[in-house]
Amino acid sequence: MMQDTYNFAYLDEQTKRMIRRAILKGLAIPGYQVPFASREMPMPYGWGTGGVQVSAAVLTPEDRFKVIDQGADDTTNAVSIRSFFERTAGVETTTATEDATVIQTRHRIPEQPLTEDQILVYQVPIPEPLRFLEPRESETRKMHSLEEYGLMHVKLYEDISRHGHIATSYAYPVRVEARYVMDPSPIPKFDNPKLDDNPAIQLFGAGREQRIYALPPYTKVISLDFDDHPFDPSKADQPCGLCGSNESYLDEIIVDDAGNRMFVCSDTDYCEKRQAAGHKGKFAA
Amino acid sequence: MTPLLSVRDVAKHYGPHIGCADVSFDLYPGEVMGIVGESGSGKSTLLNCLAGHLAPDRGEVVFDTRTEGPRDTVTMSEPERRMLGRTDWAFVHQHARDGLRMGVSAGGNVGERLMAVGQRHYGTIRQTATDWLGRVEIDQNRIDDRPTTFSGGMQQRLQIARNLVTGPRLVFMDEPTGGLDVSVQARLLDLLRGLVRDMGLSAIIVTHDLAVVRLLADRLMVMKSGRVVEQGLTDQVLDDPQHAYSQLLVSSVLQV
Ligand SMILES: Nc1ncnc2c1ncn2[C@@H]1O[C@H](COP(=O)(O)OP(=O)(O)O)[C@@H](O)[C@H]1O
Ligand SMILES: [Mg+2]
């Protein structure tokens, strides 16, 4: 039930307008980090308050809302954000990717291709991809404005020199429309190709760091690499143990007290749909 | 011949206090200019004005750019100036930690400028970095070590390699041997002299150590209280100083 002590979706209208302005600016300048005045939310920062504020600003009463955390709809984090908006906005919620109009996510992009009718909201812990090598904010801002991105490749160089290949496996940096270098949030690099040319609106919210950035539909998003070490999204070398998918991102889980393991889809909605449609993996019941 | 750098009437004040003033000189391709003077005489202020790190209050710093010929770097846009800073110019800091990325391997430090100008082949970057470590006499096996594990002399040599890797046309150096042990200084000077000769580098070297300019500089400017009191060929100034302050400076060194 919606509680009437709050404005729709918790934030007051003026705050939502301020956030929407930041979102629109972000959409107008794809990949550019727009500062915004992040509000206190009734949850800790680690819980994706940036994403929650962006969701609050874009949700309408007609929306159907889905929350995923590492691909799953049923983690504590996902459940509490979903129930937060059930309570404060009274919107319908769903676990089915294709039924959702707004999807808030941490660490994954759904396997099911998104459509023009959907908005994907990412929770972002550290929005600045250059932070790793250049801690000074004044300097990173200048580097973005002057397109001085040599440092990003220094990071990849360090990876190769240490590990023999680009070992960065999540939060893998991308170049947006040949302009801004962007941190796609800690999604696995497996998901990076889905950022590119995506029909959905993709919005990124960093609460503690007070930044919003965005990818409008069908934006060109390229993962950084070297000519002789091209970007490799690295597909799993085995199918999902439950639904047999060869296409999806897999998590390793321990299945019994003997420590036996199996690999299953991290996107639980995708996996359950496939099982319901009769696909079976090696370990399917 | 067009000067590589033509400095006219440069001045920089800190509040009412003079950093440097009335500085004019030309530097021709392949020339090394030494700037000497006691601590506080305005050498670093001047160098930073010339290298675009400080905005002078007045004056021109005209650099003969590759594509557009002589341009005043004081009035050019910041992106253009920063582009020069990572292509045709190099800056060697007194403290290596100011000129190096201490959290990045030696190879990454040397490779950064290559990547900054668009080099995207890891193997090429690695090979170039390896070559440059050799040229500055750092064991090539140290390529993946961080500069924090290097001695002061090695750090300074790494900083030089990192700066010279893109073949800059003008190198600014602020007390490049300062803070190093005497024996380490000698080795670094030797190395610098070799590089300057082999690469035909043009350079402006700030130092309070006359031995450095004796070895490296073709010409010399003597600064006192922010102003140039004497300039000329290095040997002339050192062997037959005209200004009373230069005489003092030279004799005090000779007594050491
Ligand atoms: N950031 C600053 N603010 C105020 N005064 C400065 C600053 N930097 C240098 N100065 C002053 O300007 C003069 C020249 O300094 P500097 O260029 O550092 O000399 P040098 O490099 O020859 O030792 C000195 O009197 C110094 O105290
Ligand atoms: Mg100084």
Side-chain angles (χ1 to χ4, degrees):
Chain A
M1 263 291 90
M2 184 172 170
Q3 292 178 2
D4 52 16
T5 36
Y6 300 117
N7 190 37
F8 175 77
Y10 185 78
L11 293 174
D12 61 83
E13 290 306 309
Q14 196 182 333
T15 299
K16 284 196 271 184
R17 272 198 295 275
M18 177 271 293
I19 294 173
R20 286 177 198 138
R21 274 197 296 273
I23 291 171
L24 287 172
K25 184 166 179 183
L27 286 165
I29 317 170
Y32 172 75
Q33 297 168 50
V34 184
F36 81 109
S38 184
R39 290 299 142 91
E40 288 285 333
M41 298 301 282
M43 59 190 75
Y45 276 123
W47 284 49
T49 56
V52 169
Q53 290 176 81
V54 168
S55 292
V58 299
L59 276 174
T60 67
E62 296 76 38
D63 273 312
R64 217 168 303 112
F65 189 55
K66 170 182 164 80
V67 185
I68 43 173
D69 178 13
Q70 322 251 12
D73 298 79
D74 58 359
T75 70
T76 318
N77 190 307
V79 168
S80 67
I81 291 173
R82 195 165 57 233
S83 74
F84 174 76
F85 283 111
E86 277 167 353
R87 272 186 290 116
T88 62
V91 288
E92 257 186 78
T93 57
T94 179
T95 58
T97 297
E98 68 271 26
D99 292 341
T101 55
V102 176
I103 304 171
Q104 180 169 332
T105 180
R106 186 171 87 129
H107 295 187
R108 281 307 314 277
I109 298 177
E111 306 290 357
Q112 162 88 32
L114 301 177
T115 69
E116 289 180 359
D117 300 322
Q118 294 179 306
I119 298 177
L120 184 59
V121 177
Y122 297 77
Q123 298 171 200
V124 180
I126 298 169
E128 178 49 72
L130 296 161
R131 178 78 48 85
F132 169 79
L133 293 161
E134 179 51 75
R136 288 168 300 176
E137 159 100 30
S138 57
E139 192 60 21
T140 54
R141 210 175 311 146
K142 194 161 277 176
M143 291 157 96
H144 281 293
S145 71
L146 301 180
E147 291 184 62
E148 292 180 3
Y149 289 134
L151 256 194
M152 282 319 309
H153 276 87
V154 172
K155 184 170 186 264
L156 300 181
Y157 168 95
E158 293 288 282
D159 248 18
I160 302 172
S161 70
R162 223 170 296 149
H163 304 106
H165 62 277
I166 300 177
T168 300
S169 56
Y170 62 94
Y172 191 106
V174 295
R175 188 90 187 251
V176 178
E177 289 288 342
R179 180 57 183 88
Y180 286 97
V181 166
M182 187 189 97
D183 185 323
S185 87
I187 57 171
K189 66 176 177 175
F190 174 88
D191 281 342
N192 270 29
K194 298 180 192 143
L195 294 160
D196 178 46
D197 203 34
N198 196 312
I201 291 175
Q202 301 177 79
L203 304 176
F204 300 78
R208 190 181 41 219
E209 305 263 346
Q210 315 209 77
R211 290 290 184 280
I212 285 172
Y213 48 102
L215 299 170
Y218 306 110
T219 298
K220 186 130 211 63
V221 181
I222 301 292
S223 301
L224 301 183
D225 61 5
F226 287 103
D227 298 343
D228 49 341
H229 286 266
F231 173 72
D232 171 17
S234 70
K235 254 171 65 144
D237 52 11
Q238 55 192 305
C240 168
L242 294 178
C243 78
S245 173
N246 274 307
E247 323 276 88
S248 71
Y249 186 73
L250 305 181
D251 284 336
E252 187 179 15
I253 57 169
I254 296 171
V255 289
D256 58 25
D257 290 345
N260 284 316
R261 292 147 196 277
M262 80 170 158
F263 287 88
V264 298
C265 293
S266 111
D267 185 333
T268 48
D269 172 57
Y270 171 84
C271 196
E272 283 162 12
K273 287 250 168 52
R274 279 180 52 87
Q275 293 176 64
H279 296 283
K280 271 194 176 13
K282 212 161 39 155
F283 301 100
Chain B
M1 199 188 338
T2 312
L4 184 64
L5 194 73
S6 186
V7 179
R8 288 290 168 274
D9 235 359
V10 162
K12 171 74 188 173
H13 293 254
Y14 298 105
H17 192 85
I18 291 182
C20 65
D22 299 328
V23 180
S24 299
F25 69 93
D26 288 331
L27 181 80
Y28 286 91
E31 250 188 338
V32 176
M33 167 74 88
I35 301 177
V36 296
E38 64 190 357
S39 178
S41 58
K43 306 181 298 292
S44 294
T45 300
L46 175 61
L47 194 72
N48 283 306
C49 285
L50 303 182
H53 297 169
L54 274 179
D57 303 331
R58 54 169 301 179
E60 292 178 358
V61 179
V62 177
F63 179 72
D64 187 17
T65 64
R66 271 179 223 239
T67 48
E68 294 170 67
R71 296 274 317 274
D72 183 5
T73 64
V74 176
T75 53
M76 72 169 46
S77 69
E78 191 185 13
E80 289 178 294
R81 204 162 41 236
R82 281 175 72 111
M83 178 60 100
L84 278 181
R86 58 180 196 272
T87 54
D88 270 351
W89 291 356
F91 197 105
V92 177
H93 295 263
Q94 171 174 0
H95 301 290
R97 63 173 173 275
D98 295 332
L100 291 174
R101 292 195 188 277
M102 300 307 276
V104 168
S105 70
N109 265 286
V110 178
E112 180 174 346
R113 276 172 76 110
L114 296 170
M115 295 180 245
V117 296
Q119 176 56 253
R120 291 292 176 263
H121 192 280
Y122 175 83
T124 305
I125 294 164
R126 184 99 180 147
Q127 187 54 52
T128 311
T130 305
D131 292 347
W132 265 99
L133 290 184
R135 288 182 77 166
V136 298
E137 299 165 13
I138 292 174
D139 184 346
Q140 298 174 343
N141 292 327
R142 303 295 303 271
I143 190 168
D144 294 327
D145 296 344
R146 293 187 175 182
T148 41
T149 66
F150 287 8
S151 68
M154 280 170 75
Q155 289 183 3
Q156 201 56 302
R157 280 180 273 132
L158 180 63
Q159 192 194 177
I160 288 164
R162 165 180 162 87
N163 269 283
L164 298 188
V165 66
T166 45
R169 293 159 67 218
L170 177 56
V171 185
F172 301 97
M173 300 190 219
D174 194 353
E175 309 269 8
T177 61
L180 297 176
D181 292 345
V182 174
S183 63
V184 178
Q185 281 186 19
R187 180 173 175 195
L188 186 69
L189 274 178
D190 237 29
L191 179 82
L192 273 175
R193 189 163 62 158
L195 289 170
V196 163
R197 208 171 31 212
D198 296 347
M199 299 177 74
L201 286 178
S202 311
I204 300 178
I205 303 181
V206 155
T207 179
H208 65 273
D209 183 351
L210 297 192
V212 171
V213 285
R214 172 82 81 182
L215 209 59
L216 290 176
D218 304 306
R219 283 196 301 142
L220 214 53
M221 285 190 342
V222 182
M223 290 188 74
K224 178 181 188 300
S225 309
R227 290 167 203 276
V228 177
V229 294
E230 180 166 357
Q231 56 174 311
L233 295 175
T234 302
D235 291 343
Q236 252 167 34
V237 175
L238 291 184
D239 297 337
D240 185 19
Q242 299 300 304
H243 192 278
Y245 177 75
S246 313
Q247 289 167 359
L248 205 67
L249 202 68
V250 170
S251 65
S252 69
V253 162
L254 294 181
Q255 280 164 17
V256 173

